[in-house]
């Protein structure tokens, strides 16, 4: 079955190359595209809520308790250390530790992930990244799947165990700011594609991510407040009270389904490009796991 | 999982030049009910499971770079008066998440948990807004505002002509 999957992906890549020559099909774009900054402080010019959640140790709890105002905290009040209660994310973390230690008995798993002398410390803050050996930009979960497969283990991107390992690795970067460089090379190209995708309308209702998450931040959609795209990826994979453990790509699938867009597979290039764009908007903001969201 | 993989391969072999199919990296099982799949996370498993989604979303463009299907262009509606719409039916459609779901973005009378993204829909009749105008806004608002967030319910085939007539009658009944 793995071979089948590989063949499918290879064919996809070949077809993709052939199609890349043709002009792009017509799409509606959500305009105007704001002047994004590849750093979390860019939110000062977008939703302007950043001062409320910049320092997680000094959140204003009066906002958290007010259903009309808590969106201004960008849900950071559900990040550790504030939510001390043991939630599903903590169990996932233990599972991730067990799986990681099993996979890394001979040290090859860590080496494959790109952990240097510092070990897992800070590793999460450097993803997504361009991998020379894979020839493409990849997120942490895609690399985990790849490195597990190299040892004959199946950890499919988006599966509980894959996200659990990702969570365990991220926990070593707890409190360390995201640091990805999107100023040149394949990462810049991925960032630009992601930025464009963020504003590309799709699906049965012709919505772009930006239809809600730029011009309508703070507004209500069916009783829920819309939040900023800045500083939003540092708590993934996240424990969802309704959904067990959710990687960022599974979150994008949920976003797509909720807005009537046919979702793509976890690890697809479009989702990876969006991940690069969104992660750049979290540059400078600390990793925070295990977190919980509604 | 297997049907999903096969679906991708079938598309690659048979449909490399076919612009009408969904892209190979879409979460689709052509043999499943509604074709569109939703992921199911199984605790302590390295495999991602899939379930059929409640709606088939394959006909519309995705975010995939492989998706060659164009988005339907802004479309002028062929509105044929008189209105022949039922405001009570229109209200049902406006509140139904599976059809109009207007309440998700618009604030409408008598309904808790509204949205505030969309503009206020009260008093159109009093201000002399024509049925044809309201019909067009629901059918495809891109014609009058290219940057609108409002979905083109008619041009995308999300609602039928009669449903849009009912919604128009409902909007025109709001004071």
């Amino acid at each position: 079955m793995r071979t089948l999957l590989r063949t499918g992906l290879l064919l996809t890549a070949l077809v993709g190359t052939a199609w890349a020559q043709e002009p792009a099909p017509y799409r509606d774009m959500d305009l105007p595209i704001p002047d994004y900054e590849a750093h979390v402080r860019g939110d000062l010019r977008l939703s302007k809520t950043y001062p409320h959640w910049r320092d997680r140790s000094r959140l204003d709890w009066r906002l958290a308790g007010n259903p009309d105002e808590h969106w201004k905290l960008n849900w950071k009040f559900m990040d550790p250390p504030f939510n001390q209660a043991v939630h599903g994310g903590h169990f996932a973390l233990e599972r991730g530790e067990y799986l990681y230690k099993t996979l890394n008995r001979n040290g090859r798993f860590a080496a494959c992930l790109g952990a240097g002398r510092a070990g897992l410390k800070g590793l999460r803050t450097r993803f997504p990244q361009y991998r020379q050996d894979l020839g493409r930009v990849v997120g942490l979960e895609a690399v985990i799947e790849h490195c597990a497969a190299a040892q004959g283990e199946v950890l499919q991107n988006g599966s509980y165990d894959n996200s659990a390992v990702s969570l365990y690795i991220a926990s070593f970067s707890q409190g360390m700011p995201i640091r990805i460089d999107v100023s040149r090379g394949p990462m810049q190209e991925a960032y630009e594609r992601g930025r464009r995708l963020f504003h590309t309308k799709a699906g049965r209702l012709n919505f772009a991510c930006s239809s809600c998450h730029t011009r309508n931040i703070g507004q209500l959609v069916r009783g829920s407040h819309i939040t900023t795209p800045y500083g939003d990826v540092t708590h993934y994979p996240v424990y969802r009270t309704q959904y067990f453990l959710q990687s960022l790509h599974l979150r994008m699938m949920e976003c797509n389904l909720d807005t009537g867009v046919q979702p793509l597979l976890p690890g697809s290039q479009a989702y990876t490009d969006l991940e690069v764009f969104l992660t750049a908007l979290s540059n400078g903001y600390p990793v925070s796991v295990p977190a919980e969201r509604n | 999982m297997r049907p999903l993989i096969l679906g991708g391969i079938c598309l690659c072999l048979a449909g490399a030049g076919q612009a009408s199919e969904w892209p190979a990296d879409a979460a689709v099982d052509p043999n499943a009910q509604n074709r569109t799949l939703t992921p199911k996370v199984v605790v302590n498993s390295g495999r991602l499971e899939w379930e059929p989604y409640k709606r088939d979303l394959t006909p519309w463009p995705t975010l995939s770079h492989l998706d060659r299907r164009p988005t339907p262009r802004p479309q002028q509606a062929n509105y044929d008066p008189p209105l022949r719409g039922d405001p009570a039916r229109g209200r049902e459609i406006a509140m139904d998440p599976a059809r109009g779901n207007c309440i998700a973005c618009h604030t409408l009378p008598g309904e808790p948990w509204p949205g505030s993204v969309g503009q206020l829909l009260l008093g159109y009749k009093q201000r002399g807004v024509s049925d044809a105008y309201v019909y067009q806004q629901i059918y495809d608002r891109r014609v009058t505002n290219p940057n609108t967030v409002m979905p083109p319910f008619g041009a995308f085939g999300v609602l039928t002509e009669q449903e849009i007539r009912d919604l128009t009658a409902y909007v025109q009944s709001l004071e």
Side-chain angles (χ1 to χ4, degrees), chain A residues 142-219:
Chain A
V143 174
I144 290 170
E145 182 180 31
H146 166 78
C147 294
Q151 304 195 30
E153 295 293 330
V154 178
L155 283 189
Q156 287 175 344
N157 198 338
S159 69
Y160 182 91
D161 281 354
N162 182 306
S163 298
V165 171
S166 175
L167 193 61
Y168 177 68
I169 293 167
S171 70
F172 285 83
S173 304
Q174 171 72 12
M176 296 172 71
I178 294 284
R179 286 182 66 179
I180 64 164
D181 182 3
V182 293
S183 65
R184 59 199 140 87
M187 281 294 280
Q188 184 192 26
E189 289 161 24
Y191 173 86
E192 285 303 327
R193 281 195 304 269
R195 187 176 66 102
R196 197 178 159 75
L197 277 176
F198 194 76
H199 286 265
T200 302
K201 297 190 182 185
R204 72 187 277 271
L205 300 174
N206 212 29
F207 284 144
C209 313
S210 63
S211 300
C212 289
H213 293 283
T214 55
R215 281 183 288 158
N216 291 307
I217 297 168
Q219 297 288 347

Side-chain angles (χ1 to χ4, degrees), chain B residues 57-126:
Chain B
L57 294 172
T58 57
W60 295 278
T62 66
L63 288 177
S64 170
H65 297 301
L66 307 175
D67 203 329
R68 307 309 297 170
R69 301 168 297 174
T71 297
R73 303 252 179 192
Q75 218 178 86
Q76 190 74 45
N78 288 318
Y79 173 68
D80 173 27
L83 183 55
R84 300 187 300 274
D86 176 1
R89 257 193 337 237
R91 186 176 191 281
E92 269 173 41
I93 297 164
M95 304 302 169
D96 184 353
R99 290 188 287 170
N101 202 20
C102 313
I103 188 68
C105 290
H106 294 280
T107 300
L108 296 166
E111 187 66 20
W113 301 107
S116 65
V117 170
Q119 55 184 262
L120 209 58
L121 298 175
L122 308 182
Y124 274 30
K125 197 80 179 173
Q126 284 87 333

Side-chain angles (χ1 to χ4, degrees), chain B residues 133-171:
Chain B
Y133 179 84
V134 175
Y135 186 94
Q136 177 67 51
Q137 300 314 300
I138 303 170
Y139 187 88
D140 193 344
R141 183 164 154 74
R142 295 176 298 169
V143 169
T144 47
N145 176 8
N147 294 335
T148 185
V149 180
M150 175 93 174
F153 287 99
F156 275 42
V158 173
L159 295 176
T160 65
E161 186 190 319
Q162 185 55 52
E163 285 174 319
I164 299 176
R165 286 179 182 275
D166 292 339
L167 278 172
T168 304
Y170 169 59
V171 170

